[in-house]
Amino acid sequence: MTVAIAMVEGSQRAEIGRITVERTGACSFRAELSDTGALAVFRAGTFSVDFSALETVEVGKTDDGAVTIFAGAKMRCLASQFDGACDRFNSKDGPHGLWRWRIGPMEKDKSGNVQTDRARLKEAVAHMKGKVCVQ
């Protein structure tokens, strides 16, 4: 399955990347992220993700910006267009379920509706455990 990743502001929309996901196990996946070049902000790479032990998903912030935290997930970078990016991800972020990009809607001029985002992510985890990762 391939999904477009887009930035939308008002009536303007720009596709910034695509993600292609392939199932590799009951609750594990290989995801390939590609840059469409529209804004040259998206980083390309290939990752393996195992959601078998996924507990929660939270939105958060680091010094670098908005992040998504997949508590209990096992994530590894397999390839990246940037030298050393996989080493950094596999030693620092992956073991903690830290994805340095925000997944889902973001509001540019507002702090965002954290409660709505948390509810949406909780619902996504329940769907994943109840419908996607069922053996």
Side-chain angles (χ1 to χ4, degrees), residues 3-71:
V3 177
I5 301 167
M7 292 180 75
V8 179
E9 186 170 351
S11 63
Q12 297 181 348
R13 179 186 186 279
E15 183 179 312
I16 61 169
R18 291 181 176 261
I19 181 167
T20 301
V21 179
E22 168 190 351
R23 183 184 292 266
T24 58
C27 201
S28 57
F29 308 88
R30 176 185 161 110
E32 185 172 336
L33 291 76
S34 58
D35 185 353
T36 61
L39 296 176
V41 296
F42 199 71
R43 292 174 171 84
T46 305
F47 297 84
S48 67
V49 183
D50 184 347
F51 288 132
S52 300
L54 181 66
E55 298 164 9
T56 63
V57 180
E58 282 287 333
V59 294
K61 286 191 173 197
T62 66
D63 293 341
D64 298 334
V67 298
T68 305
I69 303 161
F70 295 91

Side-chain angles (χ1 to χ4, degrees), residues 86-117:
C86 279
D87 291 338
R88 282 189 304 277
F89 182 85
N90 293 337
S91 65
K92 294 182 180 184
D93 296 346
H96 303 289
L98 180 63
W99 185 256
R100 289 198 180 266
W101 294 293
R102 172 82 180 272
I103 295 178
M106 293 183 272
E107 296 181 57
K108 180 180 177 184
D109 300 323
K110 300 178 184 175
S111 62
N113 188 336
V114 175
Q115 291 301 90
T116 299
D117 286 348

